[in-house]
């Protein structure tokens, strides 16, 4: 099972590149206050795994099956 940590990806280009590499699942994160990024991630199939505190802010972690 390929695993790819995407960090921050804007748009679908990163997802398309990961898929070309044969990666089946990506972990995408965004700041909880960044509603636009969260909506984009969810639109692309993101499923919230958890929220973690990092450097004084809350990071949301989403998995996307490619």
């Amino acid at each position: 099972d390929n695993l790819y940590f995407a960090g921050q990806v804007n748009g679908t280009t990163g997802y398309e590149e990961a898929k070309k590499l044969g990666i089946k699942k990506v972990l995408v994160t965004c700041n909880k206050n960044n509603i636009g990024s969260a909506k984009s991630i969810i639109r692309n199939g993101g499923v919230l795994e958890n929220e973690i505190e990092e450097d004084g802010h809350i990071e949301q972690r989403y998995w996307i099956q490619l």
Side-chain angles (χ1 to χ4, degrees):
D1 200 33
N2 290 328
L3 178 64
Y4 178 71
F5 179 71
Q8 295 181 324
V9 176
N10 294 319
T12 59
T13 304
Y15 307 132
E16 292 164 0
E17 288 301 313
K19 197 171 188 178
K20 285 180 190 176
L21 294 171
I23 297 168
K24 296 179 174 108
K25 187 177 181 180
V26 294
L27 177 64
V28 184
T29 67
C30 70
N31 186 299
K32 185 172 183 169
N33 295 330
N34 191 336
I35 304 301
S37 286
K39 285 181 177 181
S40 177
I41 293 166
I42 291 166
R43 249 191 329 273
N44 282 284
V47 176
L48 183 65
E49 176 181 75
N50 62 12
E51 297 179 341
I52 60 170
E53 185 176 345
E54 187 169 301
D55 298 327
H57 65 274
I58 304 296
E59 280 295 308
Q60 293 182 314
R61 297 163 38 102
Y62 294 86
W63 284 105
I64 299 177
Q65 295 288 333
L66 302 178

